[in-house]
Amino acid sequence: MSSTTGTATHAPRHEPEEPRPRRWVVYTAVALVLVALGVVMVVQFSNLRANRDAREAEEKAAALHEELVSIGVVGIDQQTLEQVLGSDGGVFCTDPSALVDATANLGAANGAVGPGLRPSVVDERRLAGDRMVIEVYCPEQLDAFDEYVDSLNLTASTTASEGASDDTPDDTPQEDS
């Protein structure tokens, strides 16, 4: 018979375990290295994307600047175009007709309020410059822009060409002295 006060003989005995290596240190080190590598990759990708966008903005601004100079608009430098329009055209490409409408409304009035308000002459170079911006930055919206400009029903009396003065209309012949 077995005694009730002693230890049971059928209880399993545990042999002493050999000390296991501390694997958590290795796993933690590997995880930290992977996280650091991921951070470096994200930073490099961001720099690559920013450099690509800056290069694209510079190329587009240079092309637009050359076209603007060709029509006689020389007051805007290339760096300003880069900063304002970026690589995607900025506000011009979000809604070109609304922007042109707003600038046309600002420039096509004499500043009076009430009965004295009358439209002024719209400079054709401004419309040509707006069209150039859209050609360079968002050519897919060029048709909508052209439709909008056509809807303005501009005539020779409401636009001023490059060489015309404010006192003489475009179709009046000039006298030679």
Side-chain angles (χ1 to χ4, degrees):
M1 290 204 112
S2 65
S3 76
T4 57
T5 58
T7 61
T9 58
H10 65 280
R13 287 183 170 228
H14 292 286
E15 297 184 19
E17 294 183 15
E18 296 180 22
R20 287 194 292 165
R22 304 272 184 196
R23 290 187 183 153
W24 66 271
V25 173
V26 174
Y27 294 151
T28 303
V30 168
L32 289 175
V33 167
L34 290 176
V35 167
L37 182 63
V39 168
V40 168
M41 289 172 51
V42 167
V43 169
Q44 289 297 336
F45 180 73
S46 297
N47 287 341
L48 178 69
R49 177 180 249 175
N51 289 339
R52 185 188 66 215
D53 288 346
R55 222 176 11 260
E56 184 180 354
E58 185 177 330
E59 291 169 359
K60 287 182 177 182
L64 179 62
H65 186 261
E66 288 176 15
E67 289 185 30
L68 289 174
V69 168
S70 72
I71 65 166
V73 178
V74 294
I76 304 172
D77 64 343
Q78 182 177 336
Q79 185 177 11
T80 302
L81 291 172
E82 286 177 40
Q83 292 172 348
V84 171
L85 297 174
S87 63
D88 62 353
V91 177
F92 265 97
C93 291
T94 56
D95 191 2
S97 60
L99 183 64
V100 173
D101 190 28
T103 58
N105 288 340
L106 287 174
N110 64 355
V113 177
L117 178 66
R118 58 189 175 273
S120 298
V121 177
V122 175
D123 190 0
E124 288 179 3
R125 290 182 301 173
R126 192 185 75 223
L127 291 175
D130 292 346
R131 189 174 197 286
M132 286 179 183
V133 170
I134 294 170
E135 281 177 354
V136 171
Y137 286 93
C138 45
E140 67 278 355
Q141 296 185 6
L142 194 57
D143 291 336
F145 174 79
D146 288 338
E147 287 177 19
Y148 171 74
V149 171
D150 290 342
S151 74
L152 294 176
N153 297 325
L154 298 175
T155 63
S157 64
T158 59
T159 61
S161 64
E162 190 173 323
S165 68
D166 292 336
D167 297 335
T168 60
D170 291 333
D171 53 354
T172 305
Q174 298 291 325
E175 292 183 25
D176 293 329
S177 341

